Amino acid sequence: MANLMHFVVGCHGLCGLDLSRTCLGPGTLRGMLYGTRPDGTQSSNLASSLTRLHLSGFTGLPASSFTLVLATCTRLEQIDFSASLVADGTFQDAAEHRPEHLAALRVVRLTECSSITSDGVEALCRAAGASLRHLALGGPFTPRSEEHTSELPSQPDPVCRLLLGKKNQAYFLPTQHNSYLTGTFLHPS
């Protein structure tokens, strides 16, 4: 892991980072974000340059690591925390203490996150505001074959229904793609 960390912190001006399915520890992630090399020397601060961050696929990171990401990364536009331990508190804390860090988010993927409820999604949507264009939620915890997609509900789940028709908010148009509930936010003109 030290080699990966050394490589990442050496990439000055890096704007996108995909660590999906990479087993990480909280200290390694913190070091990457703050630009701290394994030997303790400082390098570039990724937290100020990243616009895209993917930490999906059972990385082993606790919910507090995702809270750290949203508290320190100031320019994020796209995040993918699918199949992770991210929880409602991550978005509630960011919305309360660092809403400006969520204000530029355009694409958010949270499929297969069992600790995300309507409370976390609502906090995220309120803080992201009009910038949020795509939100992926739900999804089975084991892949379904195409023959089982007809078993999926035709109506959005309660989390998505929460977002439909709220005054001064976007309209969420859910679509089914490979048995995941995804959608696009349309903002009234």
Side-chain angles (χ1 to χ4, degrees), residues 71-122:
T72 58
C73 293
T74 59
R75 300 180 57 219
L76 287 175
E77 296 175 8
Q78 298 179 22
I79 56 174
D80 185 352
F81 295 165
S82 298
S84 72
L85 298 176
V86 68
D88 285 342
T90 297
F91 296 107
Q92 292 166 329
D93 187 60
E96 183 178 342
H97 301 290
R98 298 281 192 214
E100 67 278 8
H101 292 193
L102 301 179
L105 283 175
R106 293 182 299 113
V107 177
V108 177
R109 291 182 182 90
L110 300 171
T111 59
E112 297 187 29
C113 294
S114 61
S115 296
I116 295 290
T117 69
S118 57
D119 295 336
V121 173
E122 185 172 13

